[in-house]
Amino acid sequence: MDDADRRFLDLAIEQAQIGWGEGGVPIGAALVRNGEVLAVGRNRRVQMDSAIRHGETDCIERAGRLPASTYRESTLYTTLSPCFMCAGTAVLYDIPRIVVGENRAFEASEVWLRSRGVVVDVVDDPACIDLMKRMLDERPQLWLEDIGETS
Amino acid sequence: MDDADRRFLDLAIEQAQIGWGEGGVPIGAALVRNGEVLAVGRNRRVQMDSAIRHGETDCIERAGRLPASTYRESTLYTTLSPCFMCAGTAVLYDIPRIVVGENRAFEASEVWLRSRGVVVDVVDDPACIDLMKRMLDERPQLWLEDIGETS
C-alpha cells in the first residue's frame, strides 16, 4: 500500500466512522480512478432502510452512471472484505483492484474475486479492525441482518 | 414451472414492460415467499440514474429489511439471467431458488450460482426473449452500460 492508497483508504474509514455515528453499520468505501476520487459511500442499511446499500454499493451508486471504461481504470477501497453482493458488483463492472481494510471480522469473496482476475489487497488496518470489533460487540443483531445470517 | 411460477414470472414480466415504457432497461423481478409476493421491482438505471438498481436488486430493495430466515424461504423471479451483482445479492441472502425468464440475451452467473447451491430454473419464455430483443436492437448503448461492457 503506497501513500495514495493510504489516503483513499482513510476516506473509506472516515465514511465508516460517520456511519457508526449515525447508528449504522460502520463500513465505508471510496471509488478512485487514476488518483481522482469518483465517490465515497457507506453502509446505509439503517439510515435508508436499505437491504442493498452496503459500503461498496452505496459508493458505486453515488458515483453515478459511468461508462464501462471508467470502472476498468478504477480501484475500490473498502474498510471490510466485500460480501458477495459487493464483490459481484465489482465483477459486473470489471473493477480491477479492491483494497480491503481488514478481513478478520468477515471474509467471503476474496478467493472468488481473485479467480475472476480482481487484485485484492488486504491492509489489516487497525482502525478498520477496531470499528468492526465495536460493531460485533455492540450491534450484533444488526450485523447478522447485514450479512444475511441467522443468530 | 408450475402455475404459481407462471403467475410470479408474469409479475416480473409486467415490471419489465413498465420499465421499457419508461425508457429504461426492460428487466423485472419478483421476490416470493411461500406464495406471498414480498416485492416486485424493475431495472431503474434510467429512471433513478442508478448503477445498482437492476431488476433483482431493485426488487430486493423494495422488499425492505428482512430477517435472514425470510430470504431463505423465498424464490426470486427475474425476466433475464442475473448479472454477478444480482447473483451475488442472492448468494449474500441465501435465496435458494431463482426462476429465470430467459438467458439468450445475457448469461454470466448460472454456473457459479449452481456451484453455490442455488437452484436456477430457466424458462426460456417468449415474452422475456422478445423484450430483450427489442432492447438490444433499439437501445444497445444503454444495454452495454447496464452490463459494464464497452462497445
Side-chain angles (χ1 to χ4, degrees):
Chain A
M1 186 170 69
D2 63 16
D3 287 353
D5 283 336
R6 178 74 256 172
R7 193 163 74 249
F8 300 135
L9 181 60
D10 283 345
L11 291 179
I13 293 171
E14 183 179 51
Q15 288 293 308
Q17 290 166 333
I18 292 170
W20 178 256
E22 292 168 337
V25 179
I27 303 172
L31 186 67
V32 179
R33 179 202 190 190
N34 296 333
E36 179 201 357
V37 179
L38 300 176
V40 295
R42 59 185 179 273
N43 186 302
R44 298 188 206 244
R45 174 173 294 274
V46 169
Q47 298 93 319
M48 296 180 70
D49 258 335
S50 173
I52 65 169
R53 292 274 191 149
H54 276 190
E56 301 92 322
T57 46
D58 183 67
C59 179
I60 286 166
E61 180 73 338
R62 285 171 177 259
R65 290 171 55 185
L66 300 172
S69 57
T70 300
Y71 296 111
R72 292 178 184 194
E73 295 175 343
S74 295
T75 296
L76 182 62
Y77 296 80
T78 176
T79 57
L80 183 68
S81 193
C83 79
F84 277 115
M85 174 174 70
C86 297
T89 306
V91 168
L92 166 65
Y93 288 124
D94 278 325
I95 295 172
R97 180 175 177 239
I98 304 178
V99 175
V100 171
E102 70 114 335
N103 64 3
R104 298 185 191 200
F106 180 82
E107 196 283 300
S109 70
E110 289 177 14
V111 167
W112 180 67
L113 281 166
R114 290 185 176 117
S115 80
R116 304 279 319 177
V118 180
V119 175
V120 181
D121 291 329
V122 180
V123 176
D124 207 34
D125 180 82
C128 296
I129 293 168
D130 184 57
L131 276 163
M132 284 306 299
K133 270 191 184 150
R134 291 180 66 188
M135 177 69 199
L136 270 64
D137 192 41
E138 299 180 31
R139 299 171 191 167
Q141 287 305 313
L142 177 61
W143 177 240
L144 290 173
E145 181 192 322
D146 202 54
I147 56 171
E149 292 293 335
T150 51
S151 52
Chain B
M1 189 170 70
D2 61 17
D3 286 353
D5 283 336
R6 179 73 256 172
R7 194 164 72 247
F8 299 134
L9 182 60
D10 282 345
L11 290 179
I13 293 171
E14 183 178 52
Q15 288 293 307
Q17 290 166 333
I18 292 170
W20 177 256
E22 291 168 337
V25 179
I27 303 172
L31 186 67
V32 178
R33 177 201 192 193
N34 296 332
E36 180 200 357
V37 179
L38 300 176
V40 296
R42 59 185 180 271
N43 186 304
R44 298 187 206 246
R45 175 172 294 274
V46 169
Q47 298 93 319
M48 295 179 71
D49 257 336
S50 173
I52 64 169
R53 293 272 190 151
H54 275 190
E56 301 91 322
T57 47
D58 182 66
C59 179
I60 285 166
E61 180 74 336
R62 285 172 176 260
R65 291 170 57 186
L66 300 173
S69 57
T70 300
Y71 296 112
R72 292 179 184 194
E73 295 174 343
S74 296
T75 297
L76 181 63
Y77 296 80
T78 176
T79 58
L80 183 67
S81 194
C83 79
F84 276 116
M85 174 174 70
C86 296
T89 305
V91 168
L92 165 65
Y93 289 124
D94 280 325
I95 294 172
R97 181 177 177 237
I98 304 178
V99 175
V100 171
E102 70 114 334
N103 65 3
R104 298 186 191 199
F106 180 82
E107 196 284 299
S109 69
E110 290 178 14
V111 166
W112 179 68
L113 281 167
R114 291 185 175 118
S115 80
R116 302 281 318 178
V118 181
V119 174
V120 181
D121 291 329
V122 180
V123 177
D124 206 36
D125 179 82
C128 296
I129 293 167
D130 184 57
L131 276 162
M132 284 306 299
K133 270 193 185 148
R134 291 179 67 188
M135 177 70 200
L136 269 66
D137 192 43
E138 298 180 31
R139 299 173 190 166
Q141 287 305 314
L142 178 59
W143 177 238
L144 290 173
E145 181 193 321
D146 201 54
I147 55 171
E149 292 294 335
T150 52
S151 53

